[in-house]
Amino acid sequence: MSRPAEYFQRNRDRHPPALTPGYKTSVARSPRLPLISLEQTTSEITGPVFGHGDLGELDHDLISNYAGDGDPIGERIIIHGRVLDENARPVPKTLIEIWQANAGGRYRHKKDTYLAPIDPNFGGCGRTLSDESGNYFFRTVKPGAYPWRNYINSWRPAHVHLSVFGSAFCQRLITQLYFEGDPLIPLCPIIQTLPDQDAVAQLTAKLDMNATIPLDSIAYRFDIVLRGRRSTMFENRLEGN
């Protein structure tokens, strides 16, 4: 039996270099020696495969999936879009995961010591599967900006971490989405590491009034393009553009 072909490696010319001193933590994280190219194993290429039966009924609804005695505090939003390939064809049955800070800008994590309070009714993570047409959606609250010690007065724009899981373990792609109109986007040292500034627009969720629910939730559209010239930028891409 022939061995499956390996996946395409990332296009490093389009991604930020590992060492970008303006993003200070990259100094410690970036490799000091040339990278070693490792051949992908059969197990990486062929599995394990995510079990669709593992999803819960409220996994996509961050307003409800951790709520105890009420809804979480914050601006209620919908994040929706499609998962597409480079030819705008839908990618169905893809596992999409998100995690985020609460409306005050604080994560539910023991190492997050920002002074904003923890919301007892907000867990900050969810997941869903794209349908046969590649569509997905989440209900959540808009995350707040938060300070970080890159410079004396650095703030991360409101953002949501997003993971797309393919048919094999090594096909997990991770990125962040931002929100249209946020004045902190051009000031963020992490975003400034992108050599292709057109990618910033591809990482920005657009206001979508047609999907907004009156008297309930504002909607933002964020299409996830896996490959091609218009592909979404990913932090750990294993497949080339």
Side-chain angles (χ1 to χ4, degrees), residues 37-55:
S37 180
L38 298 176
E39 183 179 7
Q40 289 175 343
T41 65
T42 301
S43 62
E44 286 180 313
I45 299 170
T46 60
V49 178
F50 172 74
H52 295 176
D54 294 336
L55 264 70

Side-chain angles (χ1 to χ4, degrees), residues 131-153:
D131 66 16
E132 293 299 331
S133 299
N135 296 299
Y136 77 92
F137 84 97
F138 291 95
R139 282 207 324 156
T140 186
V141 297
K142 192 172 184 180
Y146 59 81
W148 62 304
R149 293 197 177 277
N150 194 70
Y151 299 115
I152 292 175
N153 191 25

Side-chain angles (χ1 to χ4, degrees), residues 14-16 96-100 107 136 156 159-165 172-178 190-191 194 199-205 222-226 231-237:
R14 194 163 184 265
H15 286 71
I96 304 157
E97 300 172 310
I98 64 171
W99 60 99
Q100 62 169 92
Y107 290 94
Y136 77 92
R156 293 290 344 266
H159 62 278
V160 173
H161 299 267
L162 185 146
S163 162
V164 181
F165 200 106
R172 188 185 188 209
L173 301 174
I174 300 171
T175 191
Q176 298 180 21
L177 69 85
Y178 304 93
I190 295 179
I191 297 174
L194 291 170
V200 178
Q202 297 165 17
L203 292 175
T204 304
F222 186 76
D223 288 339
I224 305 165
V225 183
L226 297 181
S231 65
T232 304
M233 297 297 297
F234 293 100
E235 299 169 8
N236 68 328
R237 175 177 288 281

Side-chain angles (χ1 to χ4, degrees), residues 17-30:
L19 176 60
T20 51
Y23 175 19
K24 291 186 176 180
T25 54
S26 76
V27 176
R29 294 175 178 174
S30 58

Side-chain angles (χ1 to χ4, degrees), residues 71-161:
D71 286 345
I73 301 298
E75 178 184 340
R76 298 159 64 94
I77 65 171
I78 292 169
I79 298 172
H80 78 108
R82 300 179 73 198
V83 184
L84 305 168
D85 68 11
E86 64 268 38
N87 295 314
R89 294 175 300 197
V91 181
K93 304 304 179 185
T94 295
L95 175 65
I96 304 157
E97 300 172 310
I98 64 171
W99 60 99
Q100 62 169 92
N102 64 24
R106 185 169 176 179
Y107 290 94
R108 183 174 289 279
H109 192 283
K110 63 182 180 181
K111 291 187 176 181
D112 190 341
T113 58
Y114 180 38
L115 54 80
I118 291 289
D119 188 333
N121 292 307
F122 187 70
C125 56
R127 57 185 182 168
T128 191
L129 288 174
S130 59
D131 66 16
E132 293 299 331
S133 299
N135 296 299
Y136 77 92
F137 84 97
F138 291 95
R139 282 207 324 156
T140 186
V141 297
K142 192 172 184 180
Y146 59 81
W148 62 304
R149 293 197 177 277
N150 194 70
Y151 299 115
I152 292 175
N153 191 25
S154 293
W155 291 76
R156 293 290 344 266
H159 62 278
V160 173
H161 299 267

